[in-house]
Amino acid sequence: LAKFKEKVLSIPKSYIELGKDDPRRITHSLKVALGITLVSFIYYEQHLYDTFGVNGMWAVVTVVFVYEFTAGATVSKGLNRGLATFLGGALGFGTVTLARRIGHICDTQPAECFHGQNKIAEGIVIGISVFIIAAGATFTRFFPKIKARYDYGVILFILTFTLVTVCGFRVDSDENDLRIAWERLATVLIGGATCIIISICIFPVWAGEDLHNSVASNLEKLANYLEAFGSVCFQSSKQGGGTMAIKKDESFLQGYKSVLRSTGDEETLANFARWEPGHGRFGFFYPWKQYLKIGDLARECASLIEAINPYVDSDIQQPPEFQNKIQESCKKMSAESSKALRELAAAIKTMTKPSYASPYLENSKSAMKHLKSALKDVSFESTDLLAILPAASVASILVEIVKCLEKISKAVHE
Amino acid sequence: LAKFKEKVLSIPKSYIELGKDDPRRITHSLKVALGITLVSFIYYEQHLYDTFGVNGMWAVVTVVFVYEFTAGATVSKGLNRGLATFLGGALGFGTVTLARRIGHICDTQPAECFHGQNKIAEGIVIGISVFIIAAGATFTRFFPKIKARYDYGVILFILTFTLVTVCGFRVDSDENDLRIAWERLATVLIGGATCIIISICIFPVWAGEDLHNSVASNLEKLANYLEAFGSVCFQSSKQGGGTMAIKKDESFLQGYKSVLRSTGDEETLANFARWEPGHGRFGFFYPWKQYLKIGDLARECASLIEAINPYVDSDIQQPPEFQNKIQESCKKMSAESSKALRELAAAIKTMTKPSYASPYLENSKSAMKHLKSALKDVSFESTDLLAILPAASVASILVEIVKCLEKISKAVHE
């Protein structure tokens, strides 16, 4: 029971932490609530209720489903929903009208006598068309491109088409049918517009900005790792044996792992960013794809770090003479690379040309050359290859990291 | 215009390819269409229509939104939706009743006279409670655990609560209110049950099986890479210089990259697999988490391969004497590791104990020892460290891969 009490007491705490972690979550929740409350005025206000009636609920449904955390996602879903409702409604209306005509033709007797039979022909036509459209549209969702951008729209298209046709079956005249379709479209548009306006105008959360920050912070995480690696890695060598132990400070070790895991998120953000209107320092046709390119290179770099990591964890004894030889250049390489990465991240953040990064990059390149020549005249009188291999491998991976950095720098310049 | 024609003509082709790629896509589309057509009978059939009326549309909405590709996802969404509709409806009904009472109290005059004012108090109570519930529930969605499993349920809860309360504002008596809530719940349950039954009974697509296959095929992709690496890598060494060129056969190069990218997918599948009833060779409480562990290790291994890759691409000349020394053991290591991986993958597929893998693993371990001793007595009279470093690094990464394999084998045994 004490445990249960503790658990219950921890709930408000976790709420507060969640809010502190990213205060935009609180404003987002309030914005959603505001949107829902606003559109429910369609019910409260007598005049609006007279116009839309029960169809006012579609405005509520729209807001609940369309409102997403980032503005881009909301705009994308809102436009998808609006367009899909229009297309589905139009196609549905056409189908119902057609089915009604076919029903009339099959009905050889006056409509009053065989009303039941008349409806059967109409029902079969509607049923078959619903089946075909639903199957076809669902299959379309498997195209990767459509899945990425119009998935929600296709679902809504199926939904609207089905509802309009089957409701049309129960409505007697084309005019009533049109009225229902129109009311529904209007309420969906009201709901969608409410979402888009709130998400853009009140404390907007831009997917583009998130992407921008995520890419920059990924570079910084790599920089953190390299910095820590450079300063600690070969340090203890002066006391004789020299291990490559690095303090297991979780924060930067976890850092590069989170970089490795960021693929999907960045792609989603880039997808949404494309839907956002120009804001702040980002124009309308801002090259979001470039960010994905930098993100990919950062992940490549993180992969190389992952390959260094086993050596870092193990306490392999290094022969001191060899270590002394490569230590300086390795240290310099990782320190300078880390500085270069930091400058590149800063350049992305401030959206300036990354000119401050180049000297560091040059430094790390010259350190690389230094290392290469140092490796060339290593003498193996006192040591064997197996013993120095871990350190040598680390050095060689560092070389690859520097090469990777050059690519990143090029990409940032673009 | 010719280009446009070509593009139009290519559309049916891409449809056919999409279907050939995974025939389950076709059956899935037909199943969705079947579900939608079935529930739309609520409209066609006079008796059902008399019972549910317009609320029959909720069955259609449920099927369109709940039906997902895998059975696990459908069950999870269906149960989420059913439960959320019940909870949201119950809480909404309570709120409306409360608001009506408060409205009556605030109404000091006979209800007939100041009906308008009476409604205002009720509307304010409903509006405030909608705002609070919507904000609170939206905020809850940010908890990672809830996001992963109950996200859809929370959205549906907000929706049902809002609709029941605002509709309740327009309905005069508690009984009518209850009737609407009940009709809606019943149609949602009909829709949800239709989805779940179709997805489980007709050509089911199991998320668990997908996860199972994905993990096994990831191991196979790694095996493919190592096999190709072992056979090609050091081959040209007999003709003098010997480069580490590997034929850039896209298929297996892309293979390990897709392994690196599979994190999110596997987690989603494992999440859905938990909702699936026992089927075929999988029990009800099958340890799906174990698959995630194997998947993580496979990704670690793929990371190491990514670190080998730069050496494979470059045409670095290797001193032949050194190459001859390590070539045999490197070849053996990657060939045996590849065989071990393949056996492990087969063991996962057939769900047997991976006993056939152990001898290969032992072989690769002994090759590793061989390599180590070979590295120990390398003599450096004719060559310098820089020249042999790439090959040495590859060898050392291979050692790490073998270590990683041991971990995978342990995980598979569990």
Side-chain angles (χ1 to χ4, degrees):
Chain A
L1 205 82
K3 249 188 181 175
F4 180 74
K5 205 179 157 189
E6 206 174 86
K7 228 176 182 182
V8 169
L9 281 175
S10 76
I11 289 176
K13 217 179 174 184
S14 62
Y15 263 78
I16 294 169
E17 262 169 33
L18 205 64
K20 261 191 192 160
D21 223 37
D22 189 350
R24 297 180 304 174
R25 288 172 178 158
I26 299 170
T27 51
H28 170 73
S29 307
L30 295 177
K31 277 154 68 184
V32 173
L34 177 69
I36 294 174
T37 315
L38 273 184
V39 292
S40 57
F41 268 98
I42 296 180
Y43 273 88
Y44 302 145
E45 221 278 311
Q46 193 61 44
H47 196 73
L48 285 171
Y49 189 73
D50 289 343
T51 318
F52 295 115
V54 200
N55 280 318
M57 86 168 106
W58 290 106
V60 177
V61 175
T62 306
V63 172
V64 171
F65 276 109
V66 163
Y67 207 103
E68 292 277 331
F69 189 58
T70 59
T74 310
V75 172
S76 137
K77 269 189 139 179
L79 293 181
N80 257 316
R81 177 146 199 159
L83 196 67
T85 307
F86 176 73
L87 286 179
L91 192 61
F93 180 69
T95 310
V96 166
T97 316
L98 186 74
R100 211 167 276 151
R101 298 280 169 284
I102 293 175
H104 279 297
I105 294 165
C106 292
D107 172 32
T108 48
Q109 313 287 333
E112 298 91 68
C113 305
F114 286 86
H115 196 251
Q117 204 203 331
N118 181 354
K119 279 284 183 187
I120 285 177
E122 196 183 321
I124 289 172
V125 172
I126 290 181
I128 291 174
S129 58
V130 164
F131 188 89
I132 293 173
I133 293 280
T138 306
F139 192 68
T140 312
R141 286 178 65 201
F142 287 111
F143 285 104
K145 264 191 188 169
I146 288 178
K147 180 100 199 156
R149 291 198 211 166
Y150 307 110
D151 196 42
Y152 187 67
V154 176
I155 295 180
L156 252 288
F157 171 80
I158 300 174
L159 180 67
T160 314
F161 176 81
T162 312
L163 286 184
V164 168
T165 46
V166 296
C167 289
F169 179 73
R170 283 290 164 190
V171 175
D172 289 330
S173 70
D174 290 359
E175 291 92 61
N176 270 335
D177 221 36
L178 255 189
R179 197 180 48 80
I180 291 179
W182 155 245
E183 279 179 11
R184 211 160 279 175
L185 180 61
T187 46
V188 166
L189 291 183
I190 290 175
T194 311
C195 285
I196 293 178
I197 291 171
I198 291 181
S199 75
I200 290 184
C201 299
I202 308 178
F203 299 115
V205 177
W206 302 111
E209 217 160 89
D210 271 17
L211 175 63
H212 178 89
N213 292 335
S214 146
V215 169
S217 83
N218 274 354
L219 291 188
E220 267 175 7
K221 278 176 198 160
L222 297 181
N224 284 342
Y225 186 94
L226 286 178
E227 194 183 25
F229 182 77
S231 65
V232 186
C233 161
F234 293 110
Q235 208 165 43
S236 49
S237 65
K238 275 160 199 164
Q239 292 112 38
T243 63
M244 280 201 295
I246 204 166
K247 256 189 200 158
K248 281 182 186 171
D249 183 343
E250 289 291 306
S251 66
F252 63 85
L253 272 180
Q254 288 310 310
Y256 82 85
K257 290 223 163 161
S258 79
V259 174
L260 278 178
R261 251 184 265 110
S262 59
T263 343
D265 300 342
E266 279 181 8
E267 265 165 36
T268 324
L269 285 177
N271 247 336
F272 290 145
R274 231 172 279 147
W275 291 91
E276 285 173 356
H279 55 275
R281 305 159 295 168
F282 307 97
F284 202 7
F285 290 104
Y286 197 76
W288 299 113
K289 274 196 180 167
Q290 200 58 36
Y291 280 115
L292 289 186
K293 205 172 154 192
I294 299 173
D296 275 341
L297 288 172
R299 268 184 294 283
E300 213 175 281
C301 193
S303 248
L304 290 172
I305 287 181
E306 171 118 316
I308 288 191
N309 218 27
Y311 302 113
V312 171
D313 276 347
S314 61
D315 288 323
I316 305 162
Q317 295 287 321
Q318 299 293 319
E321 317 90 74
F322 174 67
Q323 183 142 339
N324 283 336
K325 247 183 192 148
I326 64 165
Q327 174 177 344
E328 247 339 285
S329 22
C330 276
K331 254 188 178 175
K332 206 175 172 196
M333 266 167 78
S334 53
E336 297 289 329
S337 306
S338 146
K339 278 180 202 156
L341 270 173
R342 231 179 268 285
E343 283 303 327
L344 288 173
I348 290 179
K349 271 200 179 152
T350 56
M351 300 184 76
T352 50
K353 283 245 164 187
S355 43
Y356 294 113
S358 353
Y360 296 118
L361 210 57
E362 286 308 318
N363 283 347
S364 62
K365 266 196 252 174
S366 74
M368 185 170 90
K369 269 177 208 152
H370 224 80
L371 174 69
K372 276 189 180 166
S373 64
L375 287 176
K376 242 185 188 150
D377 37 63
V378 163
S379 66
F380 291 91
E381 278 137 28
S382 58
T383 159
D384 61 82
L385 182 55
L386 185 62
I388 60 166
L389 194 53
S393 295
V394 168
S396 127
I397 293 171
L398 274 178
V399 170
E400 292 303 323
I401 289 180
V402 171
K403 279 182 193 161
C404 188
L405 268 189
E406 271 183 85
K407 282 190 231 160
I408 293 179
S409 149
K410 246 186 215 162
V412 173
H413 267 286
E414 281 167 23
Chain B
L1 203 78
K3 250 191 180 172
F4 179 73
K5 205 176 156 192
E6 205 173 88
K7 230 178 181 179
V8 169
L9 282 175
S10 76
I11 288 177
K13 219 181 173 182
S14 62
Y15 263 80
I16 293 168
E17 264 168 33
L18 205 62
K20 263 191 191 160
D21 225 37
D22 189 350
R24 296 180 305 174
R25 286 172 179 158
I26 300 170
T27 51
H28 170 73
S29 307
L30 295 179
K31 275 154 70 186
V32 173
L34 177 68
I36 294 174
T37 316
L38 273 184
V39 292
S40 58
F41 268 98
I42 295 180
Y43 272 89
Y44 301 143
E45 221 278 313
Q46 193 62 44
H47 196 73
L48 285 172
Y49 190 73
D50 290 342
T51 317
F52 296 117
V54 201
N55 280 319
M57 84 167 110
W58 290 106
V60 176
V61 175
T62 305
V63 173
V64 171
F65 276 109
V66 163
Y67 208 102
E68 292 277 329
F69 189 57
T70 59
T74 310
V75 173
S76 136
K77 267 186 138 180
L79 293 183
N80 257 314
R81 178 146 199 160
L83 196 67
T85 307
F86 177 73
L87 286 180
L91 192 61
F93 180 70
T95 310
V96 166
T97 316
L98 187 74
R100 213 167 275 151
R101 298 280 171 283
I102 293 175
H104 279 296
I105 292 166
C106 293
D107 171 33
T108 49
Q109 311 288 331
E112 296 90 70
C113 307
F114 285 88
H115 198 252
Q117 203 202 330
N118 182 353
K119 278 282 184 190
I120 284 178
E122 196 183 322
I124 289 174
V125 172
I126 291 180
I128 290 175
S129 59
V130 164
F131 187 87
I132 292 173
I133 292 283
T138 307
F139 192 68
T140 311
R141 287 179 63 203
F142 287 111
F143 284 103
K145 266 192 187 168
I146 289 178
K147 180 103 199 154
R149 292 196 210 167
Y150 308 110
D151 196 42
Y152 187 67
V154 176
I155 296 180
L156 253 287
F157 171 79
I158 300 174
L159 179 65
T160 315
F161 177 80
T162 311
L163 287 184
V164 168
T165 47
V166 298
C167 288
F169 180 72
R170 283 289 164 192
V171 176
D172 289 330
S173 70
D174 290 357
E175 291 91 61
N176 269 334
D177 221 37
L178 255 188
R179 199 178 47 77
I180 292 180
W182 155 245
E183 279 180 12
R184 209 160 280 173
L185 181 61
T187 46
V188 166
L189 291 183
I190 291 175
T194 311
C195 286
I196 293 178
I197 290 170
I198 291 182
S199 76
I200 290 183
C201 299
I202 308 178
F203 299 115
V205 176
W206 303 110
E209 216 160 275
D210 270 18
L211 174 63
H212 178 89
N213 292 335
S214 146
V215 169
S217 85
N218 274 355
L219 291 187
E220 266 175 8
K221 278 176 196 161
L222 296 181
N224 284 342
Y225 186 94
L226 286 178
E227 192 182 26
F229 182 78
S231 65
V232 187
C233 161
F234 293 112
Q235 204 165 48
S236 49
S237 65
K238 278 160 198 163
Q239 292 111 39
T243 64
M244 281 202 292
I246 203 165
K247 255 188 202 158
K248 280 182 187 172
D249 184 342
E250 290 289 309
S251 66
F252 64 85
L253 273 180
Q254 288 309 309
Y256 82 86
K257 290 221 165 166
S258 77
V259 174
L260 277 179
R261 251 184 266 109
S262 59
T263 341
D265 300 343
E266 279 181 9
E267 264 165 37
T268 325
L269 284 177
N271 247 335
F272 290 146
R274 230 170 282 148
W275 293 90
E276 286 173 355
H279 55 276
R281 303 161 296 169
F282 306 99
F284 202 8
F285 288 105
Y286 197 75
W288 299 113
K289 274 198 179 165
Q290 201 58 36
Y291 281 115
L292 290 186
K293 203 172 154 193
I294 300 173
D296 274 341
L297 288 172
R299 269 184 292 284
E300 212 174 281
C301 191
S303 247
L304 290 172
I305 288 182
E306 171 118 317
I308 290 190
N309 218 24
Y311 302 113
V312 171
D313 276 348
S314 62
D315 288 321
I316 305 162
Q317 295 288 319
Q318 300 293 320
E321 316 91 75
F322 174 67
Q323 182 140 340
N324 283 335
K325 251 188 188 141
I326 64 165
Q327 174 176 344
E328 249 340 284
S329 24
C330 275
K331 254 188 181 175
K332 207 173 172 201
M333 268 166 78
S334 52
E336 296 289 328
S337 308
S338 146
K339 277 179 204 159
L341 270 173
R342 231 179 270 286
E343 282 302 328
L344 288 174
I348 290 179
K349 271 198 181 153
T350 56
M351 299 184 75
T352 50
K353 283 244 161 186
S355 43
Y356 294 114
S358 352
Y360 297 119
L361 210 59
E362 285 308 317
N363 283 347
S364 63
K365 265 197 255 173
S366 73
M368 185 171 92
K369 269 178 208 151
H370 222 80
L371 174 70
K372 277 189 180 168
S373 64
L375 286 176
K376 244 188 185 149
D377 38 64
V378 162
S379 66
F380 292 93
E381 279 139 26
S382 57
T383 158
D384 60 83
L385 182 57
L386 184 62
I388 61 167
L389 194 52
S393 296
V394 168
S396 122
I397 293 172
L398 274 179
V399 170
E400 291 303 324
I401 289 180
V402 171
K403 280 182 194 162
C404 188
L405 267 189
E406 273 184 83
K407 282 190 232 161
I408 293 180
S409 150
K410 249 186 214 162
V412 173
H413 267 286
E414 284 167 21

